């Protein structure tokens, strides 16, 4: 069970690190376009004349190329007011619910990559129960300098993998428990077999068969030592009964001689 928990946590940590790395890379184009650092001057053309998944921000197109389907983008001003929101759908015309984000995001720390901007990662849940991995960073430049850029991706694939692993671990653990219980029951029965021999020997002795002995007295186990002790006791009991029989026979012979003498 401990190994299952450790394996699950290790995989969970690894998958979340991969998602965080994806967010770290994907937010760069978005941030470059909203801070006017990108050379893009027009929305990218999409097949079939479809519109870009996100509207323009402050007159400039938001670069969403390469973003994971279902990505959410939110921009907040330095005062904490939401000034832009976009939710790219996984499928065209698909209805999705926006994750519930905290009104105040805290826990920022300096990023070790990129612009060394204050960044934080956390998990948020949408009203329909779907979870998102969120990356929030403090913008250093652009029209909302001092504000926050929030980019999130759905965790459906990651949670599906973890759910599959959890089900597999439960199944394997259940099978292992059944096997261990069955093996333990068999070992107990094998271990108690010498005691059943002791029981049969005791019944035979109680029926008058004093020559019976407990088998397995050569074994070096606990049961073997008990068997040796019982056999020694049985030999002494048999010797005592034999001595009693001889004494009784001598007494009868003496009485017969006395009778003949009288």
């Amino acid at each position: 069970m401990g190994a299952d928990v450790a394996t699950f946590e290790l995989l969970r940590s690894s998958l979340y690190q991969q998602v965080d790395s994806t967010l770290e890379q994907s937010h760069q184009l978005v941030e470059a376009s909203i801070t006017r650092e990108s050379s893009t001057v027009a929305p990218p053309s999409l097949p079939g004349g479809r519109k870009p998944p996100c509207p323009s921000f402050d007159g400039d197109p938001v670069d969403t190329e390469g973003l994971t389907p279902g990505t959410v983008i939110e921009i907040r001003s330095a005062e904490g007011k939401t000034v832009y929101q976009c939710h790219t759908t996984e499928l065209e015309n698909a209805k999705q619910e926006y994750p519930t984000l905290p009104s105040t995001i805290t826990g920022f720390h300096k990023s070790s990559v990129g612009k060394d901007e204050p960044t934080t990662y956390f998990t948020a849940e949408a009203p329909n129960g779907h979870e998102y991995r969120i990356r929030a960073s403090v913008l250093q430049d652009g029209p909302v300098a001092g504000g926050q850029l929030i980019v999130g991706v759905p965790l459906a694939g990651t949670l599906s993998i973890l759910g599959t692993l959890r089900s597999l671990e439960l199944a394997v653990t259940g099978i292992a428990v059944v096997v261990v219980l069955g093996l333990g029951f068999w070992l107990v029965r094998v271990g108690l077999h010498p005691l059943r021999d002791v029981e049969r020997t005791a019944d035979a002795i109680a029926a008058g068969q004093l020559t019976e002995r407990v088998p397995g007295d050569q074994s070096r186990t606990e049961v073997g030592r008990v068997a040796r002790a019982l056999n020694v006791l049985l030999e002494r009991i048999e010797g005592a009964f034999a001595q009693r029989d001889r004494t009784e026979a001598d007494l009868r012979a003496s009485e017969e001689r006395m009778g003949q003498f009288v």
Side-chain angles (χ1 to χ4, degrees), residues 84-137:
Y84 180 86
Q85 265 190 352
C86 176
H87 191 182
T88 62
T89 56
E90 296 183 11
L91 298 174
E92 189 174 359
N93 299 325
K95 183 180 179 181
Q96 296 184 349
E97 296 188 15
Y98 200 84
T100 303
L101 301 176
S103 57
T104 301
I105 299 177
T106 58
F108 289 96
H109 60 276
K110 289 289 186 178
S111 175
S112 58
V113 296
K115 296 181 178 181
D116 194 30
E117 58 190 6
T119 307
T120 185
Y121 290 88
F122 60 93
T123 302
E125 186 174 326
N128 58 5
H130 293 169
E131 291 188 9
Y132 286 76
R133 186 64 173 171
I134 307 297
R135 179 191 188 278
S137 59

Side-chain angles (χ1 to χ4, degrees), residues 44-237:
S45 59
L46 297 177
R50 292 186 289 111
K51 295 181 179 180
C54 289
S56 299
F57 171 71
D58 199 28
D60 291 326
V62 176
D63 193 346
T64 59
E65 184 178 357
L67 292 184
T68 303
T71 298
V72 296
I73 302 173
E74 182 173 310
I75 302 173
R76 296 182 180 182
S77 65
E79 293 76 24
K81 181 180 179 181
T82 300
V83 296
Y84 180 86
Q85 265 190 352
C86 176
H87 191 182
T88 62
T89 56
E90 296 183 11
L91 298 174
E92 189 174 359
N93 299 325
K95 183 180 179 181
Q96 296 184 349
E97 296 188 15
Y98 200 84
T100 303
L101 301 176
S103 57
T104 301
I105 299 177
T106 58
F108 289 96
H109 60 276
K110 289 289 186 178
S111 175
S112 58
V113 296
K115 296 181 178 181
D116 194 30
E117 58 190 6
T119 307
T120 185
Y121 290 88
F122 60 93
T123 302
E125 186 174 326
N128 58 5
H130 293 169
E131 291 188 9
Y132 286 76
R133 186 64 173 171
I134 307 297
R135 179 191 188 278
S137 59
V138 178
L139 295 170
Q140 307 295 313
D141 306 302
V144 284
Q148 298 172 357
L149 171 62
I150 302 169
V151 181
V153 293
L155 290 173
T158 300
L159 295 179
S160 176
I161 294 174
L162 293 176
T164 301
L165 176 62
R166 183 186 292 110
S167 300
L168 181 62
E169 287 183 339
L170 289 175
V172 172
T173 301
I175 294 174
V177 169
V178 172
V179 171
V180 169
L181 289 177
L183 181 61
F185 180 75
W186 177 76
L187 290 175
V188 169
R189 287 183 61 86
V190 171
L192 291 179
H193 183 74
L195 295 181
R196 288 194 293 271
D197 292 337
V198 172
E199 180 183 2
R200 286 193 295 268
T201 302
D203 292 338
I205 293 173
Q209 302 177 18
L210 298 180
T211 58
E212 289 290 332
R213 294 294 182 268
V214 179
D217 58 348
Q218 300 302 318
S219 175
R220 296 185 178 182
T221 62
E222 294 290 337
V223 177
R225 288 194 287 270
V226 172
R228 284 195 298 274
L230 288 176
N231 287 338
V232 171
L233 176 62
L234 291 174
E235 289 177 358
R236 293 178 178 177
I237 292 175

